[in-house]
């Protein structure tokens, strides 16, 4: 849906122009109203008559260089303010009996300079995703557009030996909004490699951008999907096809297998994938996970362990020397 700049009053004729072919001065149409433009020419050339029409043609010619202008969508208000200041300046020149043949090209050049100072739009990063930070506003037609990329990302292949751990990271290579981001996981079992939503069922135990399976079993072979959502709107859907290879780890006994099955037992809708719960080594590898409270607990644990070893050593030496 075409989104017009805030505060601009564009007549209904603009809709027809967008269909039949926009004129060369569409950037001017996006950020100024018809009444503002006609007021400028009436101030320069009189209330009505051929001189006013000639003034309008000169205005069109002066701004036709901005036909294909694209700007950062978030900079629309700044550009609208620049056009407002331009119309006021032209009216002042007209009141001072200046020439519009000189004033219009000068005003258009000033608008080019103002556009060059705006924050640049971010480039689209393939291969997938709705990238709001790359949204741009086009003067040709007065509408906004995001990257023309699919919502579904290509399937990533993950190969893991039976009994090992599989880790999935639901991350994209473009910047996400900082708030209201959620992650939901689904699984297509039976060894299916697909992106068809019909085959997937929810994995309610998995949440967050990291999820893992341990230990991996042949029943886990299939496609896992993660949906990144912002304010209930999907931004990207990622897919991971897990291929399980090899026999069970060496030395694994039937008793160990049975014990693992008992530990891992859960209702069907909760099987397969679990949230990422980092080990001590993984925490130490991620400095942001070591909060002040965690550092305090680690220090207390280290002090307690040191005191216990000291006490054991003292008891051993006391027993040893008492025996001698």
């Amino acid at each position: 849906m075409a989104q017009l700049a805030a505060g601009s009053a564009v007549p209904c004729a603009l809709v027809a122009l967008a269909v039949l072919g926009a004129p060369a001065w569409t950037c001017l149409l996006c950020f100024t109203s018809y009444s503002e433009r006609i007021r400028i020419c009436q101030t320069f050339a009189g209330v009505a008559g051929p001189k006013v029409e000639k003034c309008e043609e000169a205005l069109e010619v002066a701004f036709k260089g901005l036909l294909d202008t694209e700007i950062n969508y978030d900079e629309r208000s700044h550009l609208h303010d620049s056009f407002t200041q331009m119309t006021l300046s032209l009216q002042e020149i007209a009141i001072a009996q200046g020439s519009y043949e000189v004033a219009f090209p000068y005003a258009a050049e000033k608008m080019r300079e103002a556009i060059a100072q705006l924050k640049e739009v971010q480039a689209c990063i393939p291969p997938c995703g709705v990238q709001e930070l790359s949204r741009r506003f086009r003067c040709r037609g007065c509408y906004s557009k995001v990257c023309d990329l699919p919502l579904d990302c290509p399937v990533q292949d993950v190969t893991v030996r039976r009994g090992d751990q599989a880790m999935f990271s639901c991350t994209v290579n473009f910047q996400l909004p900082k708030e209201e981001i959620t992650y939901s996981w689904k699984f297509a079992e039976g060894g299916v490699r697909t992106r068809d939503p019909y085959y997937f069922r929810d994995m309610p135990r998995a949440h967050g951008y990291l999820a893992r399976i341990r230990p991996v079993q042949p029943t886990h072979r299939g496609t896992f999907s993660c949906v990144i959502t912002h304010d209930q709107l999907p931004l990207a859907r990622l897919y991971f096809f897990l291929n399980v290879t090899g026999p069970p780890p060496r030395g694994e006994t039937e008793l160990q297998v049975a014990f693992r099955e008992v530990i891992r037992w859960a209702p069907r809708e909760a099987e397969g994938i679990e949230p990422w719960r980092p080990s001590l080594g993984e925490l130490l590898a991620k400095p942001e996970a070591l909060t002040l409270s965690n550092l305090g607990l680690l220090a207390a644990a280290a002090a307690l362990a040191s005191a216990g070893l000291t006490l054991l050593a003292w008891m051993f030496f006391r027993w040893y020397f008492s025996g001698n």
Side-chain angles (χ1 to χ4, degrees):
M1 180 178 180
Q3 301 187 27
L4 302 180
S8 63
V10 181
C12 296
L14 180 58
V15 178
L17 289 172
V19 177
L20 301 176
W25 53 331
T26 49
C27 209
L28 188 65
L29 284 177
C30 295
F31 296 100
T32 63
S33 66
Y34 174 75
S35 60
E36 289 173 335
R37 297 190 298 273
I38 196 64
R39 189 182 304 120
I40 291 172
C41 281
Q42 287 176 346
T43 308
F44 272 112
V47 177
K51 292 184 178 180
V52 175
E53 296 177 0
K54 187 176 180 180
C55 174
E56 292 179 7
E57 293 176 1
L59 189 61
E60 174 184 346
V61 171
F63 281 88
K64 77 177 191 176
L66 302 180
L67 171 62
D68 294 319
T69 300
E70 292 186 358
I71 65 168
N72 189 314
Y73 184 74
D74 294 333
E75 296 289 290
R76 291 169 303 137
S77 60
H78 295 154
L79 187 56
H80 181 263
D81 292 342
S82 298
F83 269 97
T84 301
Q85 292 297 324
M86 180 206 70
T87 57
L88 295 176
S89 298
L90 289 176
Q91 290 180 29
E92 292 175 358
I93 295 173
I95 293 173
Q97 297 184 348
S99 170
Y100 65 77
E101 294 178 349
V102 176
F104 288 170
Y106 177 78
E109 183 61 30
K110 286 296 183 182
M111 292 311 305
R112 289 189 188 93
E113 295 176 1
I115 291 172
Q117 297 299 320
L118 298 176
K119 184 171 63 176
E120 293 184 359
V121 63
Q122 294 189 11
C124 299
I125 303 176
C128 58
V130 179
Q131 304 173 26
E132 276 295 331
L133 293 180
S134 67
R135 182 181 288 275
R136 60 197 66 203
F137 182 87
R138 292 184 172 181
C139 281
R140 184 193 286 269
C142 303
Y143 69 96
S144 69
K145 184 179 180 181
V146 293
C147 299
D148 189 16
L149 296 173
L151 183 66
D152 291 327
C153 300
V155 180
Q156 304 177 43
D157 290 290
V158 180
T159 302
V160 179
R161 283 178 57 86
R162 178 180 177 181
D164 291 344
Q165 173 178 278
M167 181 78 75
F168 306 114
S169 178
C170 190
T171 56
V172 290
N173 54 3
F174 60 88
Q175 186 177 350
L176 295 173
K178 296 182 179 179
E179 299 178 350
E180 299 184 16
I181 292 293
T182 58
Y183 302 86
S184 57
W185 291 85
K186 298 184 178 183
F187 177 50
E189 59 185 347
V192 178
R193 191 179 193 276
T194 182
R195 293 190 301 180
D196 189 338
Y198 173 79
Y199 293 94
F200 289 90
R201 60 182 177 87
D202 293 332
M203 311 297 292
R205 292 181 59 198
H207 52 84
Y209 75 97
L210 280 175
R212 65 181 176 182
I213 302 172
R214 58 175 184 179
V216 170
Q217 299 297 331
T219 55
H220 296 137
R221 186 175 183 272
T223 305
F224 293 85
S225 171
C226 172
V227 181
I228 304 175
T229 306
H230 173 246
D231 194 20
Q232 300 183 349
L233 296 176
L235 299 183
R237 282 194 290 258
L238 284 72
Y239 299 88
F240 309 89
F241 177 70
L242 178 60
N243 188 28
V244 183
T245 63
R250 185 175 301 174
E252 185 176 73
T253 64
E254 294 182 1
L255 180 61
Q256 288 174 322
V257 175
F259 178 74
R260 285 184 178 179
E261 292 298 327
V262 172
I263 294 298
R264 292 177 57 251
W265 182 89
R268 180 176 177 80
E269 63 272 12
E271 291 179 352
I273 196 169
E274 63 180 36
W276 179 62
R277 297 185 178 89
S279 64
L280 178 59
E282 291 171 325
L283 280 176
L284 294 177
K286 298 177 71 63
E288 65 271 14
L290 295 178
T291 61
L292 291 177
S293 59
N294 289 342
L295 289 173
L297 291 175
L298 288 174
L304 183 61
S306 177
L309 291 175
T310 303
L311 179 61
L312 289 175
W314 177 78
M315 294 177 63
F316 172 77
F317 281 108
R318 182 176 179 182
W319 168 81
Y320 180 80
F321 287 111
S322 64
N324 290 339

